[in-house]
Amino acid sequence: MHHFVYKDDELYCEQVPVAYIADQVGTPFYLYSHATIARHYRVFDKAFNGLDHLTCFSVKSNSNIAVLRALAQEGAGADIVSGGELLRALRAGIPTDKIVYSGVGKTPGDIELALQSGILMFNVESSQELHLVNRIAGNVRGKAAIAIRINPDVEAETHPYLTTGIMESKFGIPMKEALHVYEIAD
């Protein structure tokens, strides 16, 4: 269910006519339903009831502070790919122990900011990145919590621009190198 409905041929967001909002703020504009965001988060998160889990919203998919704040109020974590996204997540009220830093473009400055902020963990994409995070963590707080992204070389049969788990992808550590990376991560 979502909270965008037509009443007498007029579109409403929750209980407010969209035309009224357009008159107030002008067009074009983005309009989100807090109730819809909260409900969809709850439905998704509830699917994991009974399991120890953390549902993280991908900040790169929508970095609007109000959207992030609505998700934070529901208990969501954040999946970030930059220092700027970290700052937006923090500004929205997402606790640092619910923030996971993913992605292939982590800069030394952003890694240091994330470590100083006390994020939950880094999703590491390569052995080189593992060494970089380790080196910076040694200077900042000793150790960094990590997860290692493995590239399983599995074709998802989706749009070529969305495919991330095949050998040609820049994402993750190849399966044949995974054990070695786990060993050096100790």
Side-chain angles (χ1 to χ4, degrees), residues 28-100:
F29 65 97
Y30 289 99
L31 178 62
Y32 302 101
S33 163
H34 184 281
T36 298
I37 291 168
R39 182 187 179 284
H40 288 183
Y41 172 80
R42 285 186 215 122
V43 168
F44 184 86
D45 191 62
K46 187 178 178 182
F48 300 95
N49 275 357
L51 300 173
D52 186 18
H53 73 282
L54 173 62
T55 301
C56 292
F57 179 75
S58 172
V59 176
K60 74 178 171 185
S61 72
N62 188 333
S63 62
N64 180 292
I65 296 291
V67 169
L68 298 176
R69 189 171 290 129
L71 290 161
Q73 291 167 354
E74 293 298 320
D79 179 82
I80 62 166
V81 296
S82 71
E85 288 185 3
L86 170 60
L87 296 175
R88 294 185 78 77
L90 294 174
R91 184 171 165 209
I94 297 173
T96 55
D97 64 349
K98 291 186 174 185
I99 298 176
V100 176

Side-chain angles (χ1 to χ4, degrees), residues 8-9 25 28 41 69-70 90-91 95 107-108 124 136 153 165:
D8 299 321
D9 292 327
V25 301
Y41 172 80
R69 189 171 290 129
L90 294 174
R91 184 171 165 209
T107 68
V124 175
I136 296 169
D153 194 21

Side-chain angles (χ1 to χ4, degrees), residues 122-136:
F122 292 86
N123 281 335
V124 175
E125 301 275 346
S126 69
S127 58
Q128 295 84 359
E129 182 181 299
L130 177 63
H131 290 297
L132 177 64
V133 169
N134 186 51
R135 181 177 52 77
I136 296 169

